[in-house]
């Protein structure tokens, strides 16, 4: 393999950190699952507009390709090689009263974590048999959940296009054909092995075998962040008692994208800030101060509609889950204050 063709104006973390020296040191390395540097970087090479551009095929990718991954992890999370990740999933430690009790600004709140099953390759390097095994064992565990978490599993295979499109439009289900995932082999054998579990109210959902083997999601209308977090924590603990997740003391929960390592948590609100959105510089000054990310309302790489944005924590590694949600809460309080001032 030769050094890839990366245009001069490419701004992804791959383009920034894959120097010719790093490339030379890693180009012939392979993990025990047969995952190569070429596979790890293909998404960023094929999609030059990537923000990051790399994926791991297994936990070992993070050590085998460390000269590249460590740089990206440090750049994205500000987390160094010697740092240790800490987890805290105690809702009592979260100080998050509803920032919008009158429901003027926050439309909905969602918190998700990514999880992968211990001792198996991640999605980019998994075989069809292993992926199907993940689906059957995870669904077996999910089918034993009780109370608010009780629900049913809906495989993508056999789901009608209408039902699938409706679930996507309503923000419950992952999209199909993501070009970033496609290029790293995460869409192989689609739609087999993929599906969604949810309770009747669709306040608790689990995506199976998308970018990560599990995405555990708690969501509801309005801004009661603590209620959403508490439900998520209950769900994580219940599932964890049935399925062992891949976790490492240095980088926390192992995920296929390095941006998700650590807590693997993204806590977001859909929030209407049409006045603030007219001054993107002021908007960004607030989100940067609280380590937040702005996305459009149909997920990553989508646009805003009617001044409504998806605002979430940017940091996920080297901070606890409680801190990740606290970042989001505190930033949202500041955004609402700014929007109110502009409205007046
Ligand atoms: P992820 O959160 O899993 O990284 P995306 O950014 O692609 O992935 O979002 C997945 C889906 O979740 C999208 O349909 C998005 O609109 C929806 N979503 C995210 N945050 C919220 C929210 N606060 N309320 C409602 N839907 C949300
Ligand atoms: N590979 C894509 C997405 C990176 C971060 N997001 C997720 C969903 N992992 C990129 O580099 O832009």
């Amino acid at each position: 393999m030769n050094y890839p063709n990366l245009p001069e104006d490419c701004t992804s973390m791959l383009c920034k950190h894959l120097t010719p020296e790093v490339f030379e040191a890693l180009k012939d390395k392979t993990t025990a699952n047969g995952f190569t540097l070429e596979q790890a970087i293909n998404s960023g090479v094929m999609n030059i507009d990537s923000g990051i551009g790399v994926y791991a095929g297994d936990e070992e990718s993070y050590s085998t390709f460390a000269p590249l991954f460590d740089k990206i992890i440090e750049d994205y999370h500000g987390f160094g090689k010697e740092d240790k990740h800490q987890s805290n999933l105690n809702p009592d430690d979260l100080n998050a009263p509803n920032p919008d009790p009158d429901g003027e600004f926050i439309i909905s709140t969602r918190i998700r974590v990514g999880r992968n099953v211990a001792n198996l390759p991640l999605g980019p390097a998994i075989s069809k048999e292993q992926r199907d095994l993940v689906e059957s064992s995870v669904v077996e565990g999910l089918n034993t959940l009780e109370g608010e978490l009780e629900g049913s599993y809906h495989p993508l295979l056999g789901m009608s296009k209408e039902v699938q499109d409706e679930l996507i439009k309503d923000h419950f289900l992952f999209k199909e054909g993501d070009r970033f995932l496609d290029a790293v082999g995460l869409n192989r054998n689609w739609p087999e092995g993929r599906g969604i579990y949810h309770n009747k109210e669709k306040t608790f959902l689990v995506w199976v075998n998308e970018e990560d083997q599990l995405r555990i999601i708690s969501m509801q209308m309005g801004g009661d962040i603590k209620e959403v977090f508490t439900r998520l924590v209950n769900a994580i603990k219940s599932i964890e008692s049935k399925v062992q997740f891949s976790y490492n003391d240095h980088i926390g929960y192992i995920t296929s994208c390095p941006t998700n390592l650590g807590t693997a948590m993204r806590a977001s609100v859909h929030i209407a800030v049409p006045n603030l959105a007219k001054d993107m510089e002021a908007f960004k000054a607030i989100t940067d101060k609280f380590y937040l990310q702005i996305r459009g309302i149909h997920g990553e790489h989508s646009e805003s509609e009617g001044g409504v944005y998806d605002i979430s924590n940017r940091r996920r590694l080297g901070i606890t889950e409680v801190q990740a949600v606290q970042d989001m809460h505190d930033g949202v309080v500041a955004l609402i204050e700014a929007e109110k001032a502009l409205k007046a």
Side-chain angles (χ1 to χ4, degrees):
M1 182 201 179
N2 295 321
Y3 189 80
N5 184 16
L6 303 172
E8 286 254 309
D9 58 354
C10 168
T11 55
S12 71
M13 292 208 180
L14 170 69
C15 292
K16 191 164 159 197
H17 297 297
L18 187 75
T19 60
E21 295 71 38
V22 168
F23 176 79
E24 275 310 309
L26 300 180
K27 68 177 200 279
D28 297 321
K29 298 216 159 144
T30 305
T31 69
N33 292 303
F35 199 70
T36 62
L37 179 73
E38 191 169 2
Q39 288 171 292
I41 66 174
N42 195 52
S43 187
V45 173
M46 302 295 286
N47 299 287
I48 279 305
D49 58 339
S50 290
I52 311 297
V54 299
Y55 289 93
D58 40 30
E59 179 175 355
E60 200 191 317
S61 300
Y62 287 106
S63 47
T64 302
F65 307 115
L68 176 62
F69 277 106
D70 282 352
K71 286 263 162 49
I72 292 177
I73 289 168
E74 173 137 40
D75 196 345
Y76 185 88
H77 299 279
F79 183 84
K81 277 191 278 195
E82 307 305 324
D83 293 342
K84 247 183 168 202
H85 182 69
Q86 300 277 330
S87 174
N88 178 5
L89 281 163
N90 185 355
D92 294 340
D93 294 339
L94 181 69
N95 179 15
N98 188 341
D100 180 31
D102 298 330
E104 266 183 86
F105 305 95
I106 301 179
I107 295 152
S108 51
T109 303
R110 173 183 185 265
I111 312 181
R112 62 85 164 151
V113 292
R115 292 287 185 269
N116 290 280
V117 177
N119 308 315
L120 277 177
L122 297 166
I126 205 164
S127 69
K128 174 163 167 30
E129 290 67 35
Q130 289 167 320
R131 190 191 304 109
D132 291 347
L133 178 70
V134 168
E135 182 190 37
S136 57
S137 53
V138 165
V139 170
E140 194 183 311
L142 291 174
N143 281 337
T144 65
L145 297 178
E146 292 176 343
E148 194 188 17
L149 306 180
E150 186 180 330
S152 48
Y153 181 65
H154 308 269
L156 227 53
L157 191 67
M159 185 183 285
S160 74
K161 183 95 179 77
E162 290 71 41
V163 169
Q164 186 185 356
D165 288 348
E166 179 98 356
L167 286 169
I168 295 172
K169 181 176 71 58
D170 293 342
H171 308 286
F172 296 125
L173 181 63
F174 45 85
K175 294 183 238 176
E176 186 167 326
D178 181 288
R179 64 190 160 95
F180 301 88
L181 303 186
D182 221 41
V184 68
L186 263 161
N187 293 341
R188 284 169 300 132
N189 311 112
W190 192 278
E192 288 175 70
R194 278 74 176 197
I196 182 170
Y197 172 97
H198 62 77
N199 66 0
K200 208 159 143 250
E201 300 73 27
K202 299 200 188 80
T203 53
F204 164 61
L205 311 97
V206 181
W207 293 356
V208 178
N209 284 322
E210 197 241 6
E211 179 177 312
D212 289 304
Q213 289 158 5
L214 290 91
R215 282 283 169 93
I216 306 174
I217 302 161
S218 168
M219 65 196 282
Q220 68 192 44
M221 301 309 280
D224 194 335
I225 297 170
K226 190 156 179 165
E227 189 168 290
V228 174
F229 183 63
T230 305
R231 182 187 306 114
L232 180 74
V233 170
N234 291 338
I236 295 172
K237 296 211 160 134
S238 302
I239 302 172
E240 207 157 24
S241 69
K242 299 165 205 304
V243 183
Q244 197 196 341
F245 297 138
S246 184
Y247 185 87
N248 155 327
D249 280 343
H250 172 47
I251 50 177
Y253 287 99
I254 304 299
T255 54
S256 63
C257 177
T259 63
N260 280 322
L261 289 169
T263 61
M265 176 172 279
R266 194 170 84 86
S268 65
V269 289
H270 276 180
I271 185 171
V273 282
N275 292 295
L276 192 53
K278 286 183 198 141
D279 182 355
M280 276 323 265
E281 217 171 289
F283 190 2
K284 284 217 169 88
I286 300 175
T287 53
D288 284 350
K289 179 170 172 204
F290 292 93
Y291 310 101
L292 302 182
Q293 192 177 59
I294 307 173
R295 293 186 179 184
I297 62 156
H298 290 287
E300 196 172 29
H301 310 113
S302 76
E303 296 300 320
S304 152
E305 280 169 23
V308 178
Y309 290 83
D310 171 330
I311 302 296
S312 62
N313 59 296
R314 182 173 191 276
R315 304 187 292 175
R316 300 192 233 289
L317 172 63
I319 59 164
T320 66
E321 289 83 353
V322 166
Q323 187 61 52
V325 180
Q326 196 70 53
D327 280 356
M328 190 274 272
H329 172 271
D330 297 351
V332 165
V333 168
L335 288 172
I336 290 176
E337 249 171 51
E339 178 66 16
K340 273 187 180 159
L342 288 169
K343 223 170 148 180

